[in-house]
């Protein structure tokens, strides 16, 4: 199950969860690719909507490591 926010100018991934028995399917990656595709689809309707944000990333959380693979990316460190 994925939860996204559609905001002015972007789609932001808020939360994604799945049954851990299916972790071998890399569902976090599948979710991100699906959300990117959805963002592209929405941008054909609203040309101001052109960014996709993977949401929060915690470096020491192994469940979020897949997010570091996406480029280009920006990381806010505060």
């Amino acid at each position: 199950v994925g939860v996204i926010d559609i905001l002015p100018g972007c789609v932001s991934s808020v939360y994604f969860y799945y049954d851990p028995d299916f972790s071998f399917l890399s569902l976090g990656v599948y979710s991100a690719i699906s959300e990117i595709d959805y963002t592209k689809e929405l941008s054909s309707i609203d040309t101001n909507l052109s960014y996709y944000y993977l949401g929060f990333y915690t470096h020491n959380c192994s469940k979020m490591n897949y997010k570091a693979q996406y480029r280009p990316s920006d990381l806010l460190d505060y």
Side-chain angles (χ1 to χ4, degrees), residues 12-26:
S12 178
S13 185
V14 176
Y15 198 75
F16 180 73
Y17 64 93
Y18 56 90
D19 184 328
D21 289 342
F22 295 98
S23 61
F24 68 94
L25 294 172
S26 300

Side-chain angles (χ1 to χ4, degrees), residues 13 25-37 52-55 57 63-75:
S13 185
L25 294 172
S26 300
L27 294 172
V29 174
Y30 177 79
S31 172
I33 291 169
S34 296
E35 292 169 358
I36 290 167
D37 189 50
Y52 170 71
Y53 295 106
L54 276 168
Y57 170 68
K63 293 179 182 178
M64 293 185 177
N65 285 346
Y66 72 94
K67 293 182 179 189
Q69 299 173 31
Y70 293 89
R71 300 279 188 264
S73 66
D74 292 320
L75 180 63

Side-chain angles (χ1 to χ4, degrees), residues 43-60:
S43 71
S44 68
I45 299 165
D46 179 357
T47 56
N48 292 320
L49 193 117
S50 55
Y51 292 97
Y52 170 71
Y53 295 106
L54 276 168
F56 287 107
Y57 170 68
T58 304
H59 179 69
N60 59 353

Side-chain angles (χ1 to χ4, degrees), residues 1-13:
V1 175
V3 178
I4 60 171
D5 275 339
I6 300 174
L7 304 164
C10 73
V11 170
S12 178
S13 185

